[in-house]
Amino acid sequence: MSIPLINYTIIVDGDPIPKARHRTQHKDRDGNALDFVRSYSTQGDQVKAYRKSVLAYLTRNYPTKLLRIESGPISMGLTFIMPVRKNWPQYKLTHLKQGMIFYHFKKPDLDNLIKFTKDVLEGLCYKNDSQISVMDPVPMKIYGFEARTIIQIRTLPEFENYM
């Protein structure tokens, strides 16, 4: 049985969101120690908003296609376009308009951006993020005039012959 080849691109407008560190609770409201450490996430609203924008983009641009990949290896490409800082000099803005790439090397970390995106797309674009076998093209953070995340997902054949 062959898996149909799927290849699509998703663009999510807005500042890229990093995966937040999980929070733990050791005490209750009265200050008494809990029997167990409670772990919780503070990103529920961000996850819902991100999923909603991804779903809106998919239904608007790929209305008739089945895009959830149930099985098999996947290639994912991620480009995080970070907003240009307000204090940038004019020469950098001019170079950016001319197509030069400026890499973003401050916080948030690239791996936290990747983790958040992979976790949010799980169940929506693919069954499990363990299906991602290849990150292609190489994920990157760059500056741009419009903050957004560009996601490329495609299925891969189960094996390839390189000989």
Side-chain angles (χ1 to χ4, degrees):
M1 181 174 98
S2 70
I3 297 172
L5 295 179
I6 298 173
N7 187 357
Y8 58 95
T9 301
I10 303 167
I11 298 173
V12 181
D13 292 325
D15 289 354
I17 304 169
K19 177 87 171 179
R21 181 175 287 158
H22 72 280
R23 305 288 180 202
T24 56
Q25 185 176 3
H26 298 275
K27 298 180 180 181
D28 62 9
R29 290 183 185 176
D30 300 329
N32 301 324
L34 293 172
D35 294 336
F36 57 93
V37 176
R38 191 176 300 152
S39 180
Y40 62 95
S41 173
T42 57
Q43 287 191 301
D45 294 338
Q46 290 177 320
V47 170
K48 287 178 189 173
Y50 201 89
R51 285 180 70 92
K52 188 176 179 181
S53 61
V54 167
L55 198 54
Y57 186 88
L58 287 173
T59 54
R60 186 172 58 246
N61 294 297
Y62 304 99
T64 59
K65 292 185 179 178
L66 175 65
L67 297 174
R68 182 171 173 203
I69 302 166
E70 294 293 329
S71 64
I74 296 172
S75 169
M76 177 183 262
L78 293 168
T79 303
F80 301 100
I81 302 176
M82 309 303 277
V84 173
R85 297 191 315 236
K86 293 177 183 169
N87 62 350
W88 263 32
Q90 191 62 41
Y91 78 92
K92 277 190 175 183
L93 294 173
T94 304
H95 287 311
L96 191 62
K97 285 178 187 171
Q98 293 171 349
M100 189 176 283
I101 294 176
F102 288 91
Y103 294 103
H104 183 275
F105 54 91
K106 305 213 182 297
K107 289 193 176 204
D109 295 345
L110 180 61
D111 33 322
N112 289 337
L113 292 167
I114 293 170
K115 282 183 215 172
F116 180 82
T117 306
K118 284 170 59 175
D119 288 348
V120 169
L121 295 179
E122 188 171 328
L124 194 62
C125 296
Y126 41 82
K127 190 172 182 179
N128 193 311
D129 62 357
S130 65
Q131 290 175 256
I132 300 169
S133 300
V134 177
M135 294 298 281
D136 181 41
V138 175
M140 67 173 125
K141 292 188 306 182
I142 58 175
Y143 283 106
F145 292 109
E146 294 181 35
R148 58 177 45 170
T149 303
I150 302 171
I151 306 161
Q152 298 164 317
I153 297 177
R154 68 183 173 95
T155 55
L156 296 170
E158 191 171 333
F159 66 91
E160 292 179 340
N161 189 0
Y162 290 110
M163 300 294 167

